[in-house]
Amino acid sequence: MAVQYIILLSRQGKVRLAKWFLTLSLKEKSKIVKDVSTLVLGRRTKMCNFLEYKESKVVYRRYASLFFIAGIDSSDNELITLETIHRYVEQMDRYYGNVCELDIIFNFQKAYYILDELLLAGELQESSKRDVLRRISQQDALEEAEGDEEKFSRLGI
Amino acid sequence: MTSKRILVLGPPKSGKFTLLKELTGSTPIATIGVTSTLTASNTPTATELARPTHAGLSHTLNLSTRYFETEIPIWIDEYDNSSDDTGIRAWATSFSSADAHEVVSALGAIIFTFRKPETGEEYADVKSKVEREVGIIHDTLISHYKSRNAEGQEVEDEFDDLIDWDGICLGVAIPPATTKTLSSDDKDKVSIELDPEEWETLLQPFGFEFVDIEQTGRNDYGELLGLARIKEALETFSWDASATETAARRRGIIEGYDQYDSDGPVRLGDDDGELDSDGFDQELREMQLEMAALHFAVDSSEPQKDRGEEQDGEPRPRLESEIDELERTMLRMKQVREQGEGLPLEERKKLADKLAEELLRLL
């Protein structure tokens, strides 16, 4: 089962993250984002987390002031998608430490890196929570080391 | 400082000062006895003496988060409270003018305040009034952004919803003003509980988020409520970013940060926000030149045109077919090499000859 896209939408209707697993033009992407945003924001509390959009399905879940939205094929399993979304949220929570919208705005690259460790071509590629976090910390350590090296070289050391 | 501003708007006595007091810790100095209107140049115009008004006042909010600290100017505006909407429509007219465009572009957030209904009878009236007023505010703002996009700016997508505006829109319910004495009269001043979902559904189509300032804590989704939510929403806006930065950032986010545009090659490097079309064309031209040079090296007998001068359309299909050909050649070479691994020298020589023949045929 393949996720077609993941969108993070704030209560204010602002897109905080968009990851696409299929090739679309900017115009098509904007259209999907706009339509799906309108659909999801208009949902009431007790409504189902799954809805239909054109020939695909949209799975969403609200966490605090953010909507996590995933677009899937009509033949895909919605519940697994919901679990995938939840796994992503859990990973972000562990990484950022009580993640909030501001963390995702100001450290959005990390949000993408975590998603990239989790999903590849729209499929879940790593189910171990520990491994994902370990790789991201290794990445952070590398970045820090590179940053330090650059500083030293600039200082002429 | 080029920080954007917050506009606090509502009918008179709708709790604007209450909100400001809660948010900033102080209230602006009210001008008593002069009716003024917020104009494009932000200078009050004295009209006939009527009653104390808060229109045209300004204040400041200090926002401090773990990522930034900023001072945000606040403008306060109000319109006449009339049952037939003439007040808000007059405001809308003045705000729709071309002069007001500067004011609107300087806004980063709009906070609409209204008083909660005090009795059950008032409830329906308050609700429909709020809906009409927020609708008019929404239409007024949209008209500005629509006209601007029609003025020759590249329109990426249709701007027909406040959802496309980067600013924050909040509709804040303020409890009714109560007298300070603890007399039995106060029982009548207790406001009716507003069902958050009902009011969210009411305001959401206009792009406004409903907040009840009296609420505290978090809801079932773990979201902050009340004043804390207002602060949180205001913190998510980039107050100091310029319009071009915001537009570029927004486009980058929708594109998916992969930096892959389906119309062109993958952009390598460390640029994370540069979506400048000129730079893109230049890279495409450079890549075309490189491909031309490569092709020349592979097939030196044929004369080459300078593809760098041509734009889009024509060179691309030719370029793509050349890239495909080269890819096929490389793949074939790799296959042969893999085949040759482990074979004795004689066999390898035969394979190499075969490959050489194939390459010559291609050229």
Side-chain angles (χ1 to χ4, degrees):
Chain A
M1 71 129 262
V3 173
Q4 294 173 353
Y5 53 84
I6 301 253
I7 296 168
L8 258 66
L9 188 72
S10 77
R11 271 283 307 281
Q12 287 279 324
K14 319 297 172 208
V15 179
R16 297 301 176 201
L17 182 150
K19 179 79 185 183
W20 303 89
F21 297 104
L22 29 79
T23 312
L24 296 167
S25 67
L26 177 62
K27 209 172 176 183
E28 287 169 304
K29 285 178 187 171
S30 301
K31 174 104 177 66
I32 291 176
V33 165
K34 194 168 173 165
D35 290 348
V36 169
S37 302
T38 314
L39 282 171
V40 170
L41 287 171
R43 302 286 280 184
R44 305 181 118 174
T45 329
K46 298 283 191 302
M47 282 181 158
C48 181
N49 292 71
F50 317 132
L51 51 100
E52 281 182 11
Y53 170 65
K54 295 197 176 163
E55 275 141 23
S56 64
K57 289 194 276 208
V58 173
V59 176
Y60 74 94
R61 194 158 169 190
R62 182 172 162 184
Y63 291 87
S65 62
L66 277 173
F67 288 92
F68 284 70
I69 305 168
I72 55 173
D73 203 44
S74 8
S75 55
D76 286 330
N77 188 312
E78 304 94 323
L79 292 169
I80 291 182
T81 314
L82 212 53
E83 281 305 307
T84 310
I85 292 174
H86 189 68
R87 174 58 63 91
Y88 180 42
V89 172
E90 279 182 326
Q91 301 278 204
M92 284 217 284
D93 208 33
R94 279 290 289 279
Y95 175 76
Y96 287 105
N98 262 336
V99 62
C100 64
E101 196 180 337
L102 220 60
D103 293 326
I104 298 176
I105 294 170
F106 283 92
N107 279 320
F108 62 93
Q109 330 86 291
K110 297 298 173 191
Y112 279 102
Y113 293 159
I114 297 171
L115 189 57
D116 288 342
E117 288 295 330
L118 216 49
L119 293 175
L120 190 69
E123 312 265 3
L124 192 74
Q125 63 145 336
E126 182 54 73
S127 55
S128 161
K129 290 190 214 182
R130 212 181 336 165
D131 278 356
V132 168
L133 289 171
R134 188 171 47 85
R135 284 191 210 124
I136 300 291
S137 341
Q138 283 171 351
Q139 209 171 26
D140 285 347
L142 258 173
E143 274 183 28
E144 257 185 63
E146 276 178 19
D148 289 341
E149 263 178 46
E150 210 190 314
K151 273 184 220 159
F152 290 141
S153 67
R154 258 192 245 141
L155 290 167
I157 301 165
Chain B
M1 200 207 314
T2 57
S3 170
K4 301 243 170 159
R5 282 117 167 92
I6 301 173
L7 174 67
V8 176
L9 174 70
K13 298 196 181 165
S14 56
K16 294 188 280 300
F17 270 37
T18 313
L19 170 68
L20 289 172
K21 181 78 195 284
E22 296 281 332
L23 208 55
T24 67
S26 62
T27 51
I29 304 157
T31 332
I32 299 170
V34 178
T35 308
S36 62
T37 328
L38 192 72
T39 60
S41 53
N42 199 20
T43 51
T45 322
T47 61
E48 304 236 309
L49 196 78
R51 52 166 181 78
T53 177
H54 298 157
L57 294 176
S58 54
H59 201 49
T60 318
L61 169 67
N62 289 316
L63 265 188
S64 173
T65 68
R66 67 176 116 155
Y67 295 106
F68 68 90
E69 272 183 34
T70 187
E71 250 185 42
I72 307 165
I74 307 175
W75 285 335
I76 299 127
D77 201 5
E78 68 180 24
Y79 47 87
D80 288 335
N81 200 8
S82 55
S83 53
D84 57 352
D85 298 339
T86 43
I88 180 102
R89 285 189 198 281
W91 174 87
T93 313
S94 71
F95 246 71
S96 302
S97 63
D99 291 337
H101 186 72
E102 268 179 55
V103 178
V104 176
S105 352
L107 293 179
I110 296 172
I111 306 180
F112 172 76
T113 57
F114 64 94
R115 289 278 181 194
K116 287 190 192 178
E118 289 171 40
T119 60
E121 294 87 37
E122 275 187 8
Y123 192 88
D125 286 336
V126 168
K127 191 175 167 185
S128 62
K129 192 158 185 288
V130 166
E131 191 180 5
R132 286 194 315 269
E133 289 176 353
V134 171
I136 291 169
I137 296 168
H138 167 269
D139 293 339
T140 311
L141 290 162
I142 293 300
S143 67
H144 275 287
Y145 287 92
K146 254 187 168 160
S147 58
R148 187 181 65 164
N149 276 348
E151 270 164 17
Q153 280 233 335
E154 263 188 61
V155 181
E156 294 173 359
D157 37 27
E158 288 162 20
F159 195 111
D160 55 3
D161 210 324
L162 212 54
I163 215 172
D164 290 323
W165 185 49
D166 287 310
I168 309 293
C169 300
L170 297 166
V172 183
I174 314 276
T178 53
T179 53
K180 290 204 170 97
T181 57
L182 291 168
S183 67
S184 57
D185 291 335
D186 276 343
K187 284 187 199 152
D188 297 330
K189 291 277 188 181
V190 174
S191 60
I192 290 178
E193 272 307 306
L194 298 185
D195 176 19
E197 204 188 321
E198 186 190 338
W199 285 79
E200 269 169 30
T201 317
L202 184 77
L203 297 184
Q204 202 283 314
F206 306 112
F208 276 75
E209 184 182 334
F210 169 74
V211 181
D212 183 347
I213 206 166
E214 276 188 302
Q215 287 184 315
T216 52
R218 290 179 184 269
N219 61 11
D220 290 337
Y221 298 105
E223 187 184 12
L224 286 169
L225 299 170
L227 186 71
R229 174 61 197 150
I230 297 174
K231 278 195 183 140
E232 191 186 41
L234 292 173
E235 282 168 4
T236 59
F237 183 73
S238 0
W239 295 99
D240 297 323
S242 70
T244 40
E245 275 169 22
T246 318
R249 170 86 194 257
R250 187 165 166 263
R251 184 183 153 160
I253 289 177
I254 291 183
E255 278 206 57
Y257 178 73
D258 280 348
Q259 301 170 5
Y260 182 86
D261 187 339
S262 57
D263 294 330
V266 174
R267 289 172 62 104
L268 303 166
D270 56 356
D271 53 336
D272 56 359
E274 202 187 357
L275 296 154
D276 184 23
S277 58
D278 289 340
F280 193 74
D281 283 343
Q282 200 201 341
E283 235 187 69
L284 187 64
R285 252 177 266 130
E286 277 173 30
M287 195 173 163
Q288 286 169 355
L289 278 169
E290 274 177 40
M291 281 310 299
L294 197 64
H295 193 84
F296 186 73
V298 167
D299 175 17
S300 53
S301 54
E302 278 182 357
Q304 296 301 313
K305 264 191 266 180
D306 182 12
R307 289 192 193 87
E309 283 171 2
E310 288 174 324
Q311 294 296 320
D312 299 335
E314 210 198 331
R316 219 180 282 135
R318 277 216 318 260
L319 184 69
E320 276 173 12
S321 64
E322 278 156 13
I323 295 172
D324 285 341
E325 232 179 301
L326 195 68
E327 251 183 344
R328 258 179 270 133
T329 316
M330 304 292 266
L331 211 69
R332 184 80 190 101
M333 283 169 67
K334 195 177 168 198
Q335 275 174 348
V336 169
R337 193 174 60 190
E338 280 169 7
Q339 276 175 1
E341 270 172 23
L343 287 177
L345 196 64
E346 290 289 300
E347 307 283 332
R348 264 200 258 162
K349 268 193 182 164
K350 281 191 200 162
L351 274 172
D353 288 341
K354 237 172 97 182
L355 181 65
E357 271 179 56
E358 278 180 36
L359 280 173
L360 282 168
R361 240 182 284 133
L362 266 172
L363 301 171

